[in-house]
Amino acid sequence: MQQELKSELTKNLIIDKAYKMFYENGFKTTSIGEIMKATTLTKGAFYHHYKNKEELGLEVISLKVEKRVHDSMILPLYEKGDALNILETTFLHRLKSFSLYDKQHGCPTNNLINEIGDFETTYQIALKKIIEKWKMALVSLIERGQEEKSINQNVSGHAVAIYLISAFEGIRGIRKLYNDDLILDQYIQGLSLYLKQLEV
């Protein structure tokens, strides 16, 4: 039992360090050696848990990246209340909650999509799964709003969902180019205007 716990802690340490380094330095440029140096563990410890960097990358995506999107952008969409208000609150609250570190490094999901989304099918599938879950949660909320007569019946839930995700991911990437939040404030104004157009 003690050995199992130690093994789990070792694995979590590798995942945490890998996630941080992929986020800050990029997936392709971060080597297994650099990750293990950051953990102060041996390469033997790495290969005890993972066959290769690809396997670690997939675990980072499922355990860190997907969880981050799920907790912050998907779960809030299932709360009770006015659908439009939930949309606005979820997107705006998330943007306003980012630390300077997060603003400077952008979105982990988007970074990985841009860097390795076309790199290998296994990464494509894992990253697409995150976007599809997010999209379907948004579609579900939009359709609920249409049933409750707070969102225009003529809008396509799928189109709105993809637009909201794309715009959000886009501004996360663009913000990396700026030293202040003016660009975020302008995005927030645009988002508010867009959501008003969805009202009945």
Side-chain angles (χ1 to χ4, degrees):
M1 191 66 173
Q2 188 67 27
Q3 186 56 40
E4 284 179 22
L5 178 60
K6 186 180 176 185
S7 181
E8 191 63 28
L9 289 172
T10 298
K11 197 173 182 184
N12 288 339
L13 177 60
I14 294 170
I15 291 168
D16 288 346
K17 288 293 183 186
Y19 169 71
K20 187 174 188 293
M21 293 178 79
F22 293 161
Y23 187 31
E24 292 177 355
N25 308 318
F27 178 84
K28 290 181 184 177
T29 58
T30 303
S31 69
I32 291 169
E34 288 168 330
I35 294 166
M36 297 319 290
K37 186 178 178 182
T39 64
T40 69
L41 298 169
T42 64
K43 274 194 180 181
F46 174 86
Y47 288 110
H48 176 72
H49 294 286
Y50 301 102
K51 290 179 193 170
N52 49 41
K53 185 177 162 187
E54 179 189 337
E55 199 174 85
L56 172 62
L58 288 171
E59 192 130 296
V60 166
I61 289 169
S62 67
L63 296 180
K64 302 294 280 187
V65 179
E66 185 173 350
K67 184 178 186 320
R68 181 181 164 115
V69 174
H70 178 266
D71 291 351
S72 61
M73 298 305 296
I74 295 175
L75 267 184
L77 300 177
Y78 290 102
E79 291 178 4
K80 291 180 180 178
D82 178 73
L84 264 179
N85 188 49
I86 290 170
L87 277 178
E88 188 168 23
T89 302
T90 301
F91 281 85
L92 299 189
H93 172 75
R94 187 62 181 146
L95 271 177
K96 291 174 181 176
S97 72
F98 287 123
S99 66
L100 182 59
Y101 172 83
D102 287 317
K103 290 171 184 174
Q104 289 173 332
H105 291 90
C107 173
T109 311
N110 197 27
N111 291 351
L112 285 168
I113 288 170
N114 287 323
E115 189 181 9
I116 61 173
D118 61 347
F119 186 52
E120 196 159 327
T121 308
T122 48
Y123 294 131
Q124 247 180 2
I125 291 167
L127 291 164
K128 185 178 174 183
K129 179 181 157 192
I130 297 170
I131 299 301
E132 284 298 311
K133 281 185 177 179
W134 190 4
K135 182 180 84 170
M136 293 319 297
L138 282 165
V139 169
S140 177
L141 177 64
I142 291 159
E143 289 177 349
R144 177 164 72 78
Q146 289 173 323
E147 287 170 14
E148 294 169 354
K149 307 277 193 263
S150 64
I151 292 180
N152 193 315
Q153 300 289 324
N154 297 321
V155 303
S156 161
H158 288 267
V160 172
I162 284 299
Y163 177 79
L164 288 173
I165 291 169
S166 301
F168 184 82
E169 291 300 319
I171 196 60
R172 292 294 318 279
I174 292 169
R175 172 58 180 81
K176 292 192 286 187
L177 304 174
Y178 293 83
N179 294 321
D180 59 45
D181 287 346
L182 179 60
I183 197 82
L184 285 183
D185 295 337
Q186 291 167 341
Y187 166 80
I188 287 167
Q189 289 174 18
L191 177 62
S192 296
L193 287 171
Y194 176 74
L195 291 176
K196 282 191 186 309
Q197 292 176 42
L198 302 181
E199 284 180 341
V200 173

